[in-house]
Amino acid sequence: MRLIRGFEKRQIARHPSGIPGVVPGGATAVSGVWQFTKREQSATCAILLDPKHILVADLAQSLKTLLEQAASKGIISAGQIEPLAGHLTESGYAAMPTGSLGNGGILADLSLPKDGGPQLPSEESEAPRFVRGFHDVLITVGIVIALTGAAALMSSLVLVPAVILLAEILVKRQRLALPAFALTNAYVIGVVWLVFSALGNATAGTLSQMISIYAASAAALVPYYWRYRVPVSLAALILSAIGFCFFATLGVIGQTSLDSDAVALPALLAGLVFSLLAFGAAMYFDVRDRLRVTRRSDVAFWLHLGAAPALLNSALGLALWNSGSRGLWLQNLASGQAIVALLIITLFMLTGIAIDRRAFVTAGILSLGYVISTLIKGVNFESNNLFAISALAVGIIVLVIGTGWLPIRARVVAMLPKAIQDLVPPVAVQA
């Protein structure tokens, strides 16, 4: 394997032994692309792919493994492995970690490069790339208008088959990212609407309705992901399954009411457990794609987007639960509780900075504003513009974090143990 800096392209074919190797002068046609990422620019390695197998072999070796092999051959000394590995990483060289690539099966496509436009630097590639041109936007607008018109003119029952028909063309064949996202959302909405139609209004807003919705969504998303391999559909499948387990658990422990005034402590504990489960699922995909170059990162993005607000609200609700009113923390927040809430939100945001996921920052914005307004009232500060003052404070905090993300993250990651640093995305070197 050759470390890649900047931009380089190699063509790889199958040897008689089945091991991929570099083909001098190039092979015939290249049917797939594997991407490596440098801090400030992208590097691409073109790979000759079997339609059903991804030939990546030695590309999955870690940087440290390569240096250990060099030491065993006497090229460098054993004592130079760690310093050299650190120097190469800081200089922008990176190799895909071992185990980050799929071993076949339904999840094999997650090892492929992200859908969308050109690969962005790792520190800027957190969100999935939806648009490769206005062509995608135009098609997506057409999808929304056509599906809305079809549902209104005929019946909402046509939504699911209409989505499948469009997905066969726009997702299965053309792999259009933004239309795929829109169709996946429409598919879930169609499934939920079918559940509403089947259950009727008698179960509206009840625990049984929520269990049915999440169960139907998870079951319907299994064949959808198997067929179209859209990252957001896998994330929705996982979140739906977790949601079903959560609401089913509420039924088991006797929490039949979904009214916030009737939330009991066991329900909050269940919410925290399943929120942590969703967060763990997101981290499972994240640590297998530290450089954010494959579809695993897209799945993790959507999982974090769903897990972050649930985890924050569960943690705040559990920490500030009032046994007298049996209500959630927002209903009875004193100055002392506001300080506890502020500490939780701060820890939450620091976690997001460390793992390079901004969803953890945005999830705490509303809570942070409420906490700040409570603290202002706690010092007997009288003002008719309390909302404006709180909004200004939150806006300044978010702007500072957003614009200073790289240096702030560098400091946060530097304070973490080495074992954790090796699991989170590398810190980008600013130009």
Side-chain angles (χ1 to χ4, degrees):
M1 173 183 173
R2 186 191 316 165
L3 288 176
I4 303 173
R5 182 182 178 92
F7 179 91
E8 180 181 345
K9 180 180 290 186
R10 296 190 299 162
Q11 293 179 323
I12 296 180
R14 187 190 295 273
H15 283 250
S17 62
I19 302 175
V22 178
V23 181
T28 52
V30 176
S31 58
V33 175
W34 182 260
Q35 297 182 335
F36 282 70
T37 298
K38 184 189 174 295
R39 306 278 185 249
E40 294 83 22
Q41 54 187 316
S42 64
T44 303
C45 188
I47 297 177
L48 181 64
L49 299 180
D50 182 283
K52 297 182 180 179
H53 300 86
I54 304 173
L55 308 180
V56 289
D58 62 343
L59 296 177
Q61 297 183 76
S62 67
L63 179 59
K64 187 176 180 181
T65 301
L66 294 173
L67 295 177
E68 289 173 348
Q69 292 175 355
S72 66
K73 296 178 181 180
I75 300 175
I76 60 175
S77 65
Q80 293 176 316
I81 294 177
E82 290 293 341
L84 187 55
H87 172 70
L88 290 173
T89 301
E90 293 175 359
S91 300
Y93 292 93
M96 188 62 62
T98 302
S100 64
L101 306 175
N103 295 318
I106 193 172
L107 299 181
D109 280 13
L110 296 179
S111 296
L112 294 174
K114 293 182 176 184
D115 294 321
Q119 179 65 47
L120 299 175
S122 62
E123 286 290 327
E124 298 177 3
S125 60
E126 175 188 349
R129 292 179 304 284
F130 290 123
V131 183
R132 284 177 288 192
F134 197 76
H135 171 73
D136 289 23
V137 177
L138 183 62
I139 290 180
T140 303
V141 171
I143 289 173
V144 173
I145 295 175
L147 291 179
T148 302
L153 185 62
M154 292 175 280
S155 168
S156 58
L157 299 179
V158 306
L159 194 57
V160 171
V163 166
I164 294 175
L165 178 63
L166 292 173
E168 284 294 322
I169 302 172
L170 303 175
V171 182
K172 184 66 177 178
R173 297 181 185 178
Q174 300 184 23
R175 296 297 304 181
L176 299 180
L178 186 59
F181 174 75
L183 288 171
T184 301
N185 279 276
Y187 180 76
V188 174
I189 292 172
V191 171
V192 172
W193 197 271
L194 288 175
V195 174
F196 279 140
S197 301
L199 296 179
N201 295 327
T203 61
T206 63
L207 181 64
S208 61
Q209 184 190 58
M210 299 304 295
I211 293 175
S212 300
I213 288 175
Y214 279 98
S217 297
L221 283 166
V222 171
Y224 186 88
Y225 175 73
W226 176 83
R227 178 64 178 170
Y228 304 114
R229 310 297 171 92
V230 180
V232 67
S233 66
L234 178 58
L237 167 59
I238 294 172
L239 292 175
S240 296
I242 293 175
F244 165 74
C245 294
F246 168 65
F247 286 107
T249 301
L250 292 186
V252 171
I253 64 178
Q255 180 70 54
T256 56
S257 175
L258 299 180
D259 188 352
S260 62
D261 288 330
V263 173
L265 189 59
L268 289 175
L269 285 171
L272 181 62
V273 169
F274 285 105
S275 296
L276 286 172
L277 183 60
F279 174 67
M283 291 305 300
Y284 172 84
F285 289 98
D286 249 351
V287 298
R288 283 159 177 76
D289 185 13
R290 293 178 63 219
L291 301 180
R292 308 275 169 85
V293 295
T294 71
R295 295 176 189 173
R296 281 187 176 85
S297 177
D298 290 351
V299 177
F301 171 83
W302 296 115
L303 287 173
H304 279 301
L305 203 61
L311 183 58
L312 177 61
N313 289 329
S314 298
L316 288 171
L318 187 61
L320 305 172
W321 182 72
N322 187 318
S323 59
S325 66
R326 293 169 61 87
L328 293 176
W329 70 280
L330 280 173
Q331 295 175 328
N332 298 286
L333 189 61
S335 296
Q337 292 177 317
I339 295 176
V340 175
L342 183 61
L343 292 176
I344 294 175
I345 295 171
T346 302
L347 179 61
F348 203 75
M349 289 185 171
L350 288 175
T351 301
I353 292 173
I355 65 175
D356 197 21
R357 288 297 181 184
R358 291 161 178 83
F360 281 76
V361 176
T362 57
I365 289 178
L366 292 178
S367 302
L368 182 61
Y370 188 88
V371 168
I372 290 176
S373 65
T374 301
L375 292 175
I376 293 175
K377 289 186 291 185
V379 296
N380 297 320
F381 180 81
E382 298 293 337
S383 175
N384 295 326
N385 297 313
L386 184 60
F387 173 79
I389 295 173
S390 301
L392 178 62
V394 172
I396 292 174
I397 292 173
V398 172
L399 285 174
V400 169
I401 294 175
T403 57
W405 186 269
L406 295 183
I408 293 174
R409 184 167 184 269
R411 292 179 179 273
V412 171
V413 172
M415 294 186 291
L416 299 175
K418 183 64 167 61
I420 298 180
Q421 291 185 25
D422 291 338
L423 296 177
V424 301
V427 177
V429 179
Q430 288 185 291

